[in-house]
Amino acid sequence: MEQSTLKTLRILIPGLITIIIFLIFYSVIRNKDIFELKLIDYSYITIIALAVGTLYYLLEPRHLVTNLSHKKIDLNIKNHIINLYTSALTKEQRQFLFQKNILKNIFYRIVDNDESLKKKSSLVYFNGLIWTSTADLFLLSGLSSIFFLFSIVIYKEHTSELLLWAIILICFCLISLFLHALSYLRHIKISNDQIEYIETHHINQVNDHTNNVLQQMSNPSN
């Protein structure tokens, strides 16, 4: 999977989830089958999903779910890369290397210049899509279940249908959270596999890149 494809799907998928949930709600309150609705032209569903997904992307609600696991994934990479450096580091040097994305840049620089590691990157991208998509499903289904429950107050004649869909959405919410946790663990494993390969085949490059960065730290004017 290419990175450009990944970015598109990360916009498209939450848009599709949102549209599907909205159509379910609309079909319930209108007493119609979802495929009988004339609300939108289904030939334009992808364009609409991209528009909704773009708004979702700009508002960044996904980070409410992914922020913690993303930090742990980043920290795992940083800790492993700095542990591959064979020379002693001062406290100030360690702090400097952990700043911004210096250690991650070293990691990705090596990955981008090795064909075997590039192939593993496709697994990272695919797993990353599952990781973000399950976060989207957890968030959207959870919020929608609450919306369906509150809607019972307004649409009392549809109480049973709205309650049923609220329960179904809660189930989706719990399942997606479980899958999100599994994808996080899978992401850690794939990253560790890459780092083991780097330790075996590119330990000198880790040292060279780190030395260059530390040299820039000592000579900031350069």
Side-chain angles (χ1 to χ4, degrees):
M1 178 181 291
E2 297 294 329
Q3 197 167 4
S4 58
T5 304
L6 175 65
K7 291 178 179 179
T8 301
L9 289 174
R10 279 181 169 169
I11 292 175
L12 180 63
I13 289 174
L16 288 173
I17 293 172
T18 303
I19 291 171
I20 291 170
I21 293 174
F22 173 75
L23 290 176
I24 290 171
F25 175 77
Y26 195 78
S27 68
V28 168
I29 64 174
R30 292 295 182 183
N31 280 323
K32 288 187 176 182
D33 186 273
I34 192 170
F35 295 106
E36 296 177 357
L37 297 176
K38 303 297 182 181
L39 190 62
I40 59 174
D41 186 338
Y42 289 98
S43 62
Y44 296 106
I45 197 75
T46 300
I47 297 173
I48 297 171
L50 286 172
V52 174
T54 299
L55 178 62
Y56 178 89
Y57 168 78
L58 293 174
L59 294 175
E60 298 187 329
R62 177 188 293 146
H63 294 301
L64 295 173
V65 182
T66 61
N67 187 50
L68 179 61
S69 55
H70 187 262
K71 286 181 178 179
K72 288 183 177 180
I73 291 169
D74 279 359
L75 186 60
N76 178 67
I77 292 174
K78 291 176 181 179
N79 282 330
H80 276 84
I81 290 298
I82 203 168
N83 287 336
L84 293 182
Y85 185 62
T86 55
S87 301
L89 291 168
T90 66
K91 182 180 178 180
E92 289 74 17
Q93 287 175 325
R94 288 183 67 87
Q95 289 177 341
F96 176 77
L97 290 172
F98 270 95
Q99 287 176 10
K100 301 177 182 178
N101 288 316
I102 292 175
L103 290 168
K104 283 184 65 181
N105 288 340
I106 293 173
F107 172 75
Y108 287 119
R109 193 178 303 173
I110 295 172
V111 168
D112 290 341
N113 288 283
D114 185 283
E115 291 303 319
S116 296
L117 289 173
K118 280 185 180 180
K119 291 178 181 178
K120 289 181 182 291
S121 293
S122 64
L123 295 176
V124 174
Y125 294 149
F126 178 72
N127 190 75
L129 179 62
I130 297 174
W131 177 65
T132 55
S133 297
T134 51
D136 296 333
L137 184 58
F138 168 76
L139 187 63
L140 293 170
S141 59
L143 292 175
S144 297
S145 66
I146 296 172
F147 175 76
F148 273 61
L149 289 173
F150 275 108
S151 296
I152 294 174
V153 177
I154 302 173
Y155 303 101
K156 294 180 181 179
E157 66 276 18
H158 302 295
T159 296
S160 59
E161 296 96 330
L162 290 170
L163 182 59
L164 175 61
W165 275 109
I167 293 172
I168 292 172
L169 287 167
I170 290 172
C171 291
F172 274 114
C173 182
L174 295 175
I175 293 170
S176 60
L177 181 61
F178 174 71
L179 294 176
H180 181 72
L182 289 182
S183 65
Y184 158 72
L185 295 175
R186 175 67 175 165
H187 215 87
I188 292 291
K189 183 181 184 304
I190 296 172
S191 296
N192 287 345
D193 288 343
Q194 288 180 304
I195 292 165
E196 287 179 9
Y197 182 91
I198 290 173
E199 183 177 12
T200 305
H201 297 85
H202 298 292
I203 188 69
N204 290 333
Q205 288 187 41
V206 173
N207 283 283
D208 290 342
H209 289 315
T210 307
N211 285 331
N212 289 336
V213 171
L214 292 176
Q215 188 174 10
Q216 293 175 14
M217 173 190 172
S218 303
N219 301 287
S221 58
N222 296 330

